[in-house]
Amino acid sequence: MPIYSYRCKNCNKEFEMQRSFSDAPLEDCPYCGAKKAINKVYSDVAVVYHGSGYYCTDHPHSGSCNCSNCKG
């Protein structure tokens, strides 16, 4: 089951909860009891590719490539 991050608009408390995909959406704050005050917190996912292997072996491209592993 995934763990989601939430923030209450009323008390500004941030918390995490393990929720099933089949669970009803969380609306009431478990800390202050405010009704319909919960927002799911989304964060950016940082993906960084290091080295030259990804571009030559996994990413289809056309034209000439400067790496020694590439056939193009």
Side-chain angles (χ1 to χ4, degrees):
M1 287 195 303
I3 297 173
Y4 296 102
S5 296
Y6 297 95
R7 180 182 296 126
C8 176
K9 292 185 278 186
N10 187 47
C11 66
N12 209 26
K13 177 78 173 173
E14 226 175 279
F15 58 95
E16 294 180 343
M17 289 188 81
Q18 186 174 358
R19 309 274 297 167
S20 173
F21 291 113
S22 60
D23 288 346
L26 188 63
E27 294 180 345
D28 301 342
C29 179
Y31 294 95
C32 71
K35 303 292 183 194
K36 298 186 179 184
I38 299 297
N39 288 331
K40 195 179 289 185
V41 177
Y42 296 97
S43 60
D44 295 332
V45 176
V47 177
V48 178
Y49 297 102
H50 293 280
S52 61
Y54 167 76
Y55 296 104
C56 295
T57 59
D58 298 332
H59 181 22
H61 59 281
S62 60
S64 63
C65 181
N66 294 332
C67 71
S68 60
N69 297 331
C70 188
K71 296 176 183 175

